[in-house]
Amino acid sequence: GDAAGQALPVESRPFASYGSALHIALPQAPRAGQLLTLLIDYEAGEGPGVCWLSPEQTAGKQKPYMYTQGQAVLNRSFFPCFDTPSAKFTYSATVKVPEGFTAVMSATSWEKQKDNTFVFKMSQPIPSYLIALVVGDIVSADVGPRSRVWAEPCLIEAAKKEYDGVIEEFLVVGEKLFGPYVWGRYDILFMPPSFPFGGMENPCLTFVTPCLLAGDRSLVDVIIHEISHSWFGNLVTNATWGEFWLNEGFTMYAQRRISTEVYGLPYTCLEAATGRALLRQHMDATGEDHPLNKLRVVIEPGFCLFLGINPDDTYNETPYEKGYCFVSYLAHLVGNQSKFDAFLQAYVNRFKFQSITADDTLGFFLEYFPELKEKGVDSIPGFEFDRWLNTPGWPPYLPDLSPGQQLMRPADELAELWAADGLNMEAIEAVDITGWRTYQLVYFLDQVLQKSPLPEGNVKRLSKMYPKISKAQNAELRLRWCQIVLKNNLEAEYSKVKDFLQSQGKQKYTLPLYRAMWGGSEATRALAMEIFSATAPQLHVNVQNYVKKILGLGDAE
């Protein structure tokens, strides 16, 4: 309180390969519920949670930029904290920055004071990984009654155009489905191109990749995913990273519920089919029985932390897409969409501002639907809840995506035509793809990639026929086009792979392309080395290390 307080002995002890433990000796054992005020004087900034960008790593190329990334266990390098999602707290911060820079944080209120000092308060309890800070040459523009976009000045017009009016529509549908939006504002910050993720759902201020500025609103549904975290992940949180599916599986389900309301069922099923294809690719690459392909992954608590299994290294498609299948299976057991929607609202209301385990979730589900508990739905042979959680491999239940068939069928048929030995140009020209939306094109390219390598010359013809695809600015299309170019050794377009990897550093786009290059010919391996040596400095340190691992470079951490 107001007393000067007394100095306490501290020591740093080994904990894991990603951080040490700060031990503080208290003068006497505290009572349960007693409030302590602890003042820790510390310096930070070298660790992996704090990213310092040089001007050339930004969009404007004029001024440096810094941001923090807490998920999963990186905020321990930004400030001393109980860095586990099982603990939640409010916070406040005072941030002084140089003239010409602006600071923003994931906080419910902020004000600018004199001397370029910003004061932030988060009035709702959140886990440590959701505290985030950005300092840069950034400006904002309103895009809705409770939303603005933040970006570097050179991007702000594009950001405003792409998102004006869109966010509020998604928030309103989310509230209708899952209950009140409790965070006040929902702002979006467009990060520099080197940001390694698609989005990071920091409360009140989602960080997103500038790849979402496709110019035609074709990728705004990524924002639906981050908005869905406002209920699943940020409000109801997994207590350990070993049950990350509680954040991501529920968020995928919520995202697709909002998408169904906004864009209709066929389009949502198509998007879900591309998600399923990603899960298939991931499981083929790792082997289905890989221990990471369970929904309950053993990483913590306990001695495993000392083995240095970093929760960040467990990041993959399983918690997202297999998690989505499990939530869909629960909905299937209920058998009535509006009843399951009501359950989700009750679930959020029951566990809001808490951190929970899968046992809490499934226990509440059976308590909410006593007639299902009575029937013993948790132990139906082959679909046991225990099997879902603890057995690796392909999901036992897959939701029906057949409403997407009306969009998938034409894409399947067109891919077949392009994979044929002699191209039937008459049939190909009869298919008009001008009206196809992003995920229909993505689905088409996924099919072409699966059939690759195509007969000699086909990909070259395809490229010429559809500049809408081969010259796309949309990152999802660029990723797949680059994969097709590599799989078919289309050397004339290797420059597109280079351009794409130079334009952004998102992990989801960067790693698959390096894997494809490294698994290909001598020429593509040389290309991988050439691109990496040119772009390494602009990549996030974690992404640099993952690429080094793929390329077999010795000094990967």
Side-chain angles (χ1 to χ4, degrees), residues 268-289:
T268 302
C269 287
L270 181 63
E271 182 278 318
T274 60
R276 189 177 294 177
L278 286 174
L279 182 64
R280 186 69 271 167
Q281 274 174 23
H282 159 73
M283 289 209 178
D284 288 346
T286 57
E288 282 200 17
D289 50 2

Side-chain angles (χ1 to χ4, degrees), residues 223-527:
I223 294 295
I224 303 183
H225 181 86
E226 305 309 334
I227 283 175
S228 300
H229 273 305
S230 307
W231 293 273
F232 305 98
N234 295 7
L235 196 50
V236 180
T237 309
N238 49 232
T240 83
W241 292 121
E243 296 190 322
F244 189 39
W245 76 275
L246 291 174
N247 280 16
E248 294 301 347
F250 274 88
T251 293
M252 291 307 299
Y253 188 86
Q255 168 197 323
R256 287 169 181 155
R257 280 296 294 119
I258 294 176
S259 168
T260 300
E261 298 288 310
V262 176
Y263 298 120
L265 193 55
Y267 186 73
T268 302
C269 287
L270 181 63
E271 182 278 318
T274 60
R276 189 177 294 177
L278 286 174
L279 182 64
R280 186 69 271 167
Q281 274 174 23
H282 159 73
M283 289 209 178
D284 288 346
T286 57
E288 282 200 17
D289 50 2
H290 191 287
L292 286 186
N293 295 335
K294 298 189 289 197
L295 290 181
R296 185 181 273 154
V297 179
V298 184
I299 35 179
E300 56 177 337
F303 69 96
C304 285
L305 284 178
F306 292 97
L307 298 179
I309 299 176
N310 186 334
D312 274 325
D313 294 339
T314 65
Y315 177 85
N316 68 77
E317 292 297 333
T318 301
Y320 291 79
E321 294 295 346
K322 188 175 180 178
Y324 164 71
C325 289
F326 190 17
V327 180
S328 301
Y329 175 64
L330 297 178
H332 163 76
L333 289 174
V334 174
N336 175 311
Q337 188 63 62
S338 55
K339 275 188 180 162
F340 192 71
D341 287 347
F343 160 74
L344 288 175
Q345 270 210 36
Y347 169 72
V348 168
N349 195 42
R350 168 74 176 76
F351 294 115
K352 61 182 182 228
F353 303 116
Q354 296 176 51
S355 301
I356 63 171
T357 64
D359 292 343
D360 296 323
T361 300
L362 297 170
F364 181 71
F365 174 77
L366 293 171
E367 181 189 312
Y368 187 88
F369 294 110
E371 68 283 7
L372 293 180
K373 185 178 185 173
E374 197 97 332
K375 274 171 41 187
V377 295
D378 56 338
S379 49
I380 297 170
F383 302 93
E384 300 89 346
F385 288 1
D386 183 77
R387 176 182 169 167
W388 274 102
L389 295 175
N390 299 312
T391 305
W394 196 242
Y397 168 87
L398 295 169
D400 173 25
L401 303 181
S402 61
Q405 278 302 327
Q406 53 178 281
L407 298 171
M408 289 180 226
R409 203 172 299 111
D412 278 324
E413 287 164 2
L414 187 59
E416 283 289 339
L417 289 170
W418 279 106
D421 261 333
L423 287 179
N424 179 348
M425 289 315 290
E426 197 183 339
I428 285 171
E429 281 161 11
V431 183
D432 178 14
I433 68 164
T434 49
W436 290 13
R437 291 186 47 184
T438 300
Y439 278 103
Q440 199 168 6
L441 292 166
V442 161
Y443 181 82
F444 165 64
L445 293 177
D446 279 342
Q447 304 316 304
V448 171
L449 182 60
Q450 267 175 9
K451 297 176 194 309
S452 292
L454 303 187
E456 191 67 36
N458 287 18
V459 175
K460 204 171 160 186
R461 293 283 296 271
L462 194 149
S463 172
K464 220 169 132 176
M465 173 110 183
Y466 306 132
K468 166 178 180 164
I469 291 173
S470 59
K471 294 193 165 83
Q473 281 313 295
N474 178 311
E476 292 288 327
L477 297 178
R478 287 175 83 180
L479 165 67
R480 286 161 177 87
W481 184 248
C482 289
Q483 288 173 307
I484 288 167
V485 162
L486 291 167
K487 192 88 185 272
N488 290 277
N489 294 314
L490 189 62
E491 295 195 19
E493 299 202 18
Y494 283 178
S495 60
K496 286 187 178 158
V497 180
K498 194 172 177 178
D499 291 345
F500 185 45
L501 287 172
Q502 276 176 330
S503 73
Q504 54 77 42
K506 185 179 165 184
Q507 189 169 308
K508 182 184 159 191
Y509 300 147
T510 303
L511 302 187
L513 289 177
Y514 277 105
R515 282 193 199 103
M517 286 186 282
W518 201 246
S521 61
E522 279 302 305
T524 60
R525 285 187 154 209
L527 181 69

Side-chain angles (χ1 to χ4, degrees), residues 57-193:
Q57 288 174 292
T58 68
K61 312 262 183 257
Q62 300 301 308
K63 292 183 179 177
Y65 193 105
M66 75 82 73
Y67 70 90
T68 66
Q69 165 58 33
Q71 197 175 25
V73 288
L74 298 176
N75 264 350
R76 59 191 64 180
S77 70
F78 170 31
F79 58 94
C81 57
F82 296 108
D83 197 10
T84 159
S86 62
K88 289 190 173 185
F89 41 82
T90 56
Y91 81 90
S92 61
T94 305
V95 183
K96 188 176 187 323
V97 301
E99 278 305 320
F101 290 86
T102 299
V104 288
M105 289 190 82
S106 53
T108 38
S109 74
W110 70 284
E111 58 168 312
K112 186 177 177 181
Q113 297 182 342
K114 58 179 192 304
D115 301 333
N116 227 30
T117 298
F118 297 83
V119 177
F120 302 95
K121 273 196 183 67
M122 169 49 89
S123 56
Q124 312 280 30
I126 58 171
S128 58
Y129 74 90
L130 290 175
I131 294 182
L133 166 69
V134 161
V135 179
D137 178 14
I138 50 175
V139 291
S140 68
D142 284 323
V143 291
R146 44 186 161 171
S147 302
R148 59 174 80 94
V149 286
W150 290 89
E152 294 179 61
C154 62
L155 287 179
I156 196 71
E157 274 315 303
K160 184 172 166 48
K161 199 172 131 219
E162 195 100 357
Y163 285 90
D164 210 1
V166 174
I167 296 167
E168 187 61 23
E169 180 185 7
F170 298 154
L171 283 172
V172 167
V173 176
E175 290 190 296
K176 188 184 88 182
L177 289 170
F178 313 121
Y181 176 79
V182 303
W183 307 99
R185 297 198 61 81
Y186 185 89
D187 291 355
I188 297 179
L189 173 64
F190 287 89
M191 299 292 279

